[in-house]
Amino acid sequence: MDFEFSEAQQQLREAVRRWVEKGYSFERRRSTVDAGGFDRAAWNELAELGLTALTVPEQHGGLGQG
């Protein structure tokens, strides 16, 4: 069984890592928790990265990653 990340998975991991380092500081996470645990702006940023479509089947416009 191969447990190595595929190239697409590595790219996704790198994109998320860059987003967290650049735009999701500890202070931002803390304020999200203090405000009830949801940050619409962060959700929109993750959607722009395509993360909200990971588990949506391709025939419905998602990435079909299960």
Side-chain angles (χ1 to χ4, degrees):
M1 189 172 270
D2 183 9
F3 291 105
E4 295 294 319
F5 287 119
S6 69
E7 184 176 337
Q9 290 169 323
Q10 290 174 7
Q11 290 172 350
L12 174 62
R13 180 177 62 176
E14 182 62 22
V16 172
R17 185 188 64 75
R18 281 192 312 265
W19 177 79
V20 169
E21 287 178 353
K22 186 175 169 182
Y24 204 58
S25 66
F26 176 81
E27 292 79 16
R28 185 173 179 189
R29 292 190 300 272
R30 175 88 276 167
S31 82
T32 298
V33 169
D34 292 343
F38 182 74
D39 180 350
R40 172 69 62 187
W43 177 262
N44 290 338
E45 292 167 20
L46 294 170
E48 288 176 16
L49 288 174
L51 298 180
T52 58
L54 283 175
T55 60
V56 177
E58 289 183 74
Q59 66 264 29
H60 297 296
L63 299 175
Q65 298 296 308

